Amino acid sequence: MIEECKIKIENKINEILDKEIKKYEDNEFIKESLEELKRLSKGGKRVRGYLVKLGAMLFGKDDDSYIDLAAALEIFQTAILIHDDIIDEADKRRGLETINAKYKGHIGISKAICIGDLGFFISYRIINNANISKELKDEIIKIYSKTLHNTVNGEIVDVELPLKDINYHKKMSDSVIYDIYLNKTAWYTIIGPILIGAASAGASSSDMDKLTDMGANLGIAFQIKDDLLGLYSAPGDMGKTLNDVKEGKQTIIYKYAIDNATNEELNIINKYYGKNDINEEETKIITDLFEKIGAKKKAEKLELEYTNKGIQIIDSMDVQNKDLFMDFANYLLKRVK
């Protein structure tokens, strides 16, 4: 079902963006920007779009009316990744050359900002133009707006934290990292999409609250898995070139490592973690050290715990198609990219 849904969403995204491109045949600048947005929209996992479908199916709505909403969220996903690539100075995304890398220098950054913004505005317009009641549309836009707001809040902290030194990181609470996971990942990867799907099928406010809790747990599990893959996946599997060690990414793996490292190990982490010109051999020193300290094993355990918490919540609800959610949770645990 995931693959079938993915194909339908992919086709809808192409249909929407092709119409946009056709409207600007006489404007080479906007046309090129839309073509870049379409190029970078290819190859996504379509997790968010699929969750819109699942959210509706939990409450008995099993048709293709979700497609426009799913496409809107996926275009938003591409837009925010385009901006994320500027922040990360990334060369690759989904195995494709980023805009900031393709167009060198200031023009590349400028184009990426504009194209990302364009994606945001198109996604809002898709929702506004959806063939649903005004009351339902207002509810979905409210959820979507909260999703965007929380995502940016998480991104702000995620950008700032690596600038602090290791002593700051040791003293800070783990809750700071979990706040990033909740806002930056859980809300825009799971909570927002599933609430939009559930709202489209008339879910009650109490069910929406339960889905929010469920999505928070699965979203945290999703990000922990991403962090593990960012450190331990094979080169190229993640479809991007940025190294989490080079970025100095603040993860629960890093936090556990520095909290449990000896002074000698702390010196090694401080020397290499966040080093801009780090090489493959130095990266391996860090990943091996994190594994030795037990940070990798701890993260794997946490991922399983949060996944199980999410499953328990959905399992306690009086909804349909729970088996599809179990399959999705297993996908979170077993994915390799």
Side-chain angles (χ1 to χ4, degrees), residues 16-160:
I16 290 168
L17 294 180
D18 282 342
K19 285 181 181 177
E20 291 291 323
I21 291 167
K22 190 172 182 180
K23 283 196 297 187
Y24 291 97
E25 284 289 346
D26 296 330
N27 189 320
E28 62 178 293
F29 306 108
I30 299 177
K31 180 184 176 185
E32 181 188 56
S33 293
L34 287 164
E35 287 171 342
E36 286 295 321
L37 181 62
K38 181 183 176 183
R39 176 179 71 85
L40 288 173
S41 291
K42 296 176 182 176
K45 293 185 284 289
R46 307 307 179 206
V47 166
R48 292 151 194 86
Y50 180 60
L51 279 170
V52 174
K53 170 75 167 175
L54 284 184
M57 288 183 69
L58 287 174
F59 301 94
K61 189 175 183 181
D62 186 11
D63 56 31
D64 285 348
S65 60
Y66 76 96
I67 289 289
D68 285 340
L69 299 175
L73 283 181
E74 290 295 342
I75 290 172
F76 154 63
Q77 157 74 350
T78 298
I80 206 165
L81 289 180
I82 290 170
H83 282 180
D84 205 39
D85 290 335
I86 302 170
I87 295 169
D88 294 342
E89 298 180 323
D91 297 327
K92 295 284 185 181
R93 173 71 69 174
R94 295 172 173 167
L96 301 171
E97 190 175 27
T98 61
I99 292 167
N100 49 289
K102 182 176 179 180
Y103 303 91
K104 304 297 183 184
H106 181 70
I107 185 61
I109 294 173
S110 300
K111 284 176 75 71
I113 291 171
C114 291
I115 293 168
D117 287 347
L118 190 59
F120 293 138
F121 302 144
I122 288 173
S123 67
Y124 256 114
R125 192 172 66 190
I126 294 168
I127 296 173
N128 273 315
N129 291 340
N131 186 26
I132 52 179
S133 69
K134 183 182 183 302
E135 182 181 23
L136 180 53
K137 193 177 294 183
D138 288 345
E139 176 64 19
I140 288 173
I141 288 175
K142 181 180 176 182
I143 296 167
Y144 187 47
S145 297
K146 185 173 183 178
T147 300
L148 266 64
H149 182 263
N150 287 354
T151 302
V152 174
N153 282 348
E155 180 72 6
I156 289 169
V157 181
D158 197 34
V159 167
E160 294 284 349

Side-chain angles (χ1 to χ4, degrees), residues 265-315:
E265 289 168 338
L266 271 178
N267 289 334
I268 294 171
I269 294 170
N270 196 35
K271 179 179 179 181
Y272 294 120
Y273 203 80
K275 181 182 176 184
N276 191 52
D277 58 348
I278 193 167
N279 58 39
E280 191 174 328
E281 183 180 342
E282 292 167 337
T283 299
K284 193 172 187 309
I285 290 173
I286 289 294
T287 56
D288 287 350
L289 182 58
F290 283 4
E291 189 163 7
K292 176 189 171 188
I293 293 170
K296 181 184 178 186
K297 186 175 182 180
K298 176 66 174 178
E300 290 169 341
K301 181 180 178 183
L302 285 169
E303 182 200 352
L304 182 59
E305 287 176 1
Y306 278 103
T307 300
N308 287 336
K309 286 179 185 177
I311 288 173
Q312 287 168 9
I313 293 170
I314 199 72
D315 198 37

